[in-house]
Amino acid sequence: MKHFPIFLAMEGQKLVLSGGGDAALAKLRLLLKTEARIEVFTADPAPEIVTWAGEDRLDLTARALQPGDVAGAVLFYAADEDAREDARTSAIARAEGALVNIVDNLADSQFITPAIVDRDPVTVAIGTEGAAPVLARAIKRDLEERLPVTLGALTRIGKRFRRAAEGLPFGRKRRDFWADYYFTTGPRALAEDGPQGAEEALNTLLDTHLNAAPRAGHVALVGAGPGDPELLTLKARRALDEADVIIHDRLIAPEILELARREATLIDVGKEGFGPSTDQTRIAALMIRHARTGAQIVRLKSGDPAIYGRLDEELTALDAAGVGWSIIPGLTAASAAAASIGQSLTQRGRNSSLRILTGHDTKGFAEQDWAALARPGTAAAIYMAKRGARFLQGRLLMHGASPQTPVTIVENASRADQTVLQSCLATLAADLDRAEMSGPAILLYGLAPRAALAEIPQVPEAAHGP
């Protein structure tokens, strides 16, 4: 991030602009929305600037900027559309202590002006560091359509009421009150009875929340999917946004944790096969301890919480402690991996069932029904199989599986660094050793990448053979 976004207090501040043409007009239309004192210097002002000066919306000096004109200003805009003149005026502004923006000159500017969605006092600023103004405008257009024009009125009413709302305890109880007002009670009252109705509704709503019983702690066991934030369900995203505490697995993508509220407490309880792990009893104790404070907790698990996620153990502990819970399913890695190679996990005429297996369990490498797996046409998604690949390979070959059975390993399924290794049972262990995969991987037994998907990023394929 080369430009740090902030909201600068402008009420009563001096702001200076040099220029009187189209570039100056574009900036002034935005700057006039602020409560700053705007001073414009130009020998050739556009008619609109003269009109604004006549309406006392800005001060116009009909000459070029001179030393001393920018003294005391917080911001300066060089908008003369002439490189030499912009360099001259910006040098004056820097010397006199103002932050400088030179229109259409990102390299020499000290700040940039974002695209803005104005629902005063709600303001959304969108910046691309000058790299893609068209993209910023597209995002602005999308947000303009999404945010109702009444949002500003509701916010102004709510702002006047903030002191009264301080009677509610800081934290969850106060957040619930404002969420109720802005998303339910306020819009309904404003639509039915106008601003006065929305203001009156606040008093009734405050009494309701002041007298409400404390909200019970709750644990939502949430599937985070295979890693791509866009594969999160809408329900999972809402849970993350509402959570006071997020207890998450090691494999949760950082981009997903970024969706949590900044005030939320994040606790890493990662487990690693054959490596450091957080004890399951400690995970349960953490959930119970935070729930007893009334916190809303998200237990965030990779993929789907019901597939190799120790879900039953955690639910048993929560039930024993009398803590309420809910389950929010997620997209499991097998689905994402199959999609990445363009294959169906089931197919008429090939396999009418799909086996979901683990490569190892609490006792070590997991034993399976090897004879059934070795039958032609069998398809299986095998989790946590990298370390047990040689064991898996040996057992299947011993029970009569064809050495040419296709096996595809997908590492970091759905993520930007996803890789695909195409192999077969005969060379599986050796291919995996050469690939040196370090990320989470799922093994798709009996499935090969669809030939048409040439764009799949792949680890170089090893020579197949018995």
Side-chain angles (χ1 to χ4, degrees), residues 377-454:
T378 299
I382 307 176
Y383 293 68
M384 299 170 283
K386 284 190 300 183
R387 290 179 181 269
R390 195 172 298 278
F391 172 82
L392 179 79
Q393 178 189 45
R395 285 290 194 274
L396 284 166
L397 290 173
M398 184 189 306
H399 284 80
S402 168
Q404 300 305 315
T405 302
V407 182
T408 304
I409 302 91
V410 182
E411 179 187 34
N412 297 319
S414 84
R415 304 188 189 195
D417 57 350
Q418 170 186 289
T419 56
V420 175
L421 172 63
Q422 184 176 352
S423 181
C424 68
L425 189 58
T427 61
L428 172 62
D431 291 347
L432 265 174
D433 287 344
R434 280 191 290 271
E436 297 182 340
M437 290 182 168
S438 58
I442 188 162
L443 189 151
L444 299 177
Y445 172 76
L447 299 176
R450 190 173 297 273
L453 293 184

Side-chain angles (χ1 to χ4, degrees), residues 17-29 42 44-49 52 79-81 103-104:
L17 181 143
S18 175
D22 290 341
L25 284 171
K27 292 299 179 188
L28 286 169
R29 289 189 185 100
T42 176
D44 186 21
E48 291 95 328
I49 297 177
W52 291 330
D80 282 289
E81 302 177 68
V103 176
D104 292 333

Side-chain angles (χ1 to χ4, degrees), residues 132-410:
V134 171
L135 179 59
R137 284 194 293 272
I139 296 170
K140 170 181 163 67
R141 182 176 63 249
D142 185 50
L143 289 173
E144 291 277 9
E145 294 172 355
R146 289 169 180 261
L147 299 178
V149 293
T150 56
L151 186 62
L154 280 173
T155 309
R156 285 190 292 273
I157 294 168
K159 184 178 181 180
R160 294 194 295 269
F161 201 79
R162 291 196 72 83
R163 186 172 295 277
E166 289 175 3
L168 289 164
F170 181 78
R172 165 63 61 178
K173 201 167 180 70
R174 198 179 298 179
R175 285 201 310 274
D176 286 348
F177 165 76
W178 285 116
D180 193 344
Y181 168 67
Y182 281 117
F183 303 122
T184 306
T185 305
R188 184 173 59 242
L190 187 65
E192 293 174 356
D193 302 308
Q196 184 175 350
E199 197 155 354
E200 291 171 354
L202 273 170
N203 288 299
T204 304
L205 187 65
L206 181 60
D207 288 340
T208 300
H209 281 261
L210 281 170
N211 297 317
R215 188 174 177 182
H218 181 272
V219 177
L221 298 106
V222 177
D228 182 350
E230 293 188 359
L231 295 179
L232 277 175
T233 65
L234 292 174
K235 198 167 186 178
R237 293 200 67 154
R238 283 196 296 271
L240 284 171
D241 185 61
E242 294 172 2
D244 301 304
V245 179
I246 298 173
I247 301 172
H248 64 91
D249 285 348
R250 176 180 65 91
L251 298 178
I252 302 298
E255 296 86 353
I256 290 176
L257 294 177
E258 278 292 315
L259 298 174
R261 290 186 306 107
R262 291 288 176 248
E263 301 86 357
T265 300
L266 273 63
I267 304 173
D268 184 347
V269 292
K271 292 178 179 288
E272 182 176 353
F274 303 95
S277 295
T278 303
D279 185 79
Q280 191 63 41
T281 57
R282 179 171 179 270
I283 295 173
L286 280 169
M287 291 190 293
I288 293 165
R289 175 162 60 85
H290 285 287
R292 284 176 173 164
T293 69
Q296 303 304 298
I297 300 157
V298 161
R299 172 68 175 103
L300 194 60
K301 298 168 174 284
S302 299
D304 182 275
I307 298 180
Y308 302 121
R310 294 181 172 86
L311 180 66
D312 289 326
E313 297 171 52
E314 295 182 3
L315 293 182
T316 298
L318 294 173
D319 282 337
V323 174
W325 52 265
S326 59
I327 301 171
I328 300 177
L331 182 68
T332 190
S335 297
S340 73
I341 64 169
Q343 286 287 11
S344 171
L345 289 168
T346 60
Q347 184 185 97
R348 284 191 297 176
R350 184 192 69 198
N351 64 307
S352 59
S353 64
L354 171 71
R355 296 170 184 267
I356 296 178
L357 313 172
T358 178
H360 64 82
D361 57 22
T362 56
K363 299 178 181 179
F365 296 129
E367 291 289 351
Q368 310 291 347
D369 183 350
W370 301 113
L373 281 169
R375 294 185 190 122
T378 299
I382 307 176
Y383 293 68
M384 299 170 283
K386 284 190 300 183
R387 290 179 181 269
R390 195 172 298 278
F391 172 82
L392 179 79
Q393 178 189 45
R395 285 290 194 274
L396 284 166
L397 290 173
M398 184 189 306
H399 284 80
S402 168
Q404 300 305 315
T405 302
V407 182
T408 304
I409 302 91
V410 182

